[in-house]
Amino acid sequence: MSLLSVGTVAFDTIETPTGKADMVIGGAATYISWAASYLTRPTQIVSIIGDDFPNEELEALNARGVDTSGILCVEGGKSFYWAGKYHDNMIGRDTLVTDLNVLADFDPVLPEAYKSSEYLMLGNLTPDIQRSVIQQMTVKPKVVALDTMDFWMNIAWDSLMETIKLVDILIINDEEARQMSGHHSLVRAANHILTLGPRYLVIKKGEHGALLFGDGRVFFAPGLPLLDVIDPTGAGDTFAGGFMGHIARTGDLSFENMRRGIIYGSVMASFCVEAFGLTRLKTVTDDDIESRYAEFKELVHF
Ligand code: AMP
């Protein structure tokens, strides 16, 4: 069933202890859509790019069934650019450059055909823009999921609170959950956040897996122990794409099915970190996905 993703489509320069990748394709909506494309169709993207963005990257998404006609291309404009450098532990990172470029004037207008998408994944963007997208939907989506970050909590708290009232599933990391709630305990943090609007809360813990809270229940999935992590960039967005891709393809909003969604999200994220940028995500096969899903089952079954 149709999944609409909204977020950045970008150029990234990434430095990790294992190497460097200059000006590779990135952006939250890019990672979300690549991951989701293996699980559900059709998917759509709403974003903004400059005319420096390579057309073959859009064609590669189209070939995977991703409709990119909602990506506005600004003639003479430059695409969003982000550069980051990871610490030796591959968890912490410093942002070296954030050039908003065309994103500075992003005011998305949803194409008519997208206004009835049944599943909506709002990637990390200003909460005003995220809310404006929800408000443009003419048919209430079955699920609205949202990602955000510390930056928006610091500078746009009120708008963020207004926006998450309209959201079914909030997908954030452990530090963001602590900041949003003012509680260190993730259980207390979840109890608090679930009073702010969302029915479910997913807390990502990087290589340590993810937690799902909702309906008075908790589920935990570990991270798959991997031989090598080459580049964690986009893993959180890839997780969200895998999770929402599974929810959209099944249309099943039960807690049991969300648990499977958490595993599919973790599976897709485990591919993402195996190479720089989108490199590994672009070569995944359905067999790869199902055999890694089985590895997860084996890992946690006792
Ligand atoms: P993640 O590693 O999940 O945080 O996602 C990294 C991706 O987010 C990169 O591909 C960046 O292009 C994109 N990104 C970095 N900073 C921002 C920002 N402030 N707003 C939106 N997207 C961003």
Side-chain angles (χ1 to χ4, degrees), residues 8 10 12 26-27 31 80 82 93 124 149 233-234 236-237:
T8 45
D12 292 342
Y31 282 103
F80 178 75
W82 175 81
R93 72 180 181 201
N124 180 25
M149 67 188 291
T233 307
D237 304 310

Side-chain angles (χ1 to χ4, degrees), residues 8 16 26 42 45 49 84 113 131 140-141 151 168 181 194 229 283:
T8 45
T16 78
I45 303 186
I49 52 176
R131 195 168 63 254
K140 188 176 159 33
F151 183 71
D168 303 294
S181 65
L194 290 173
V229 172
T283 60

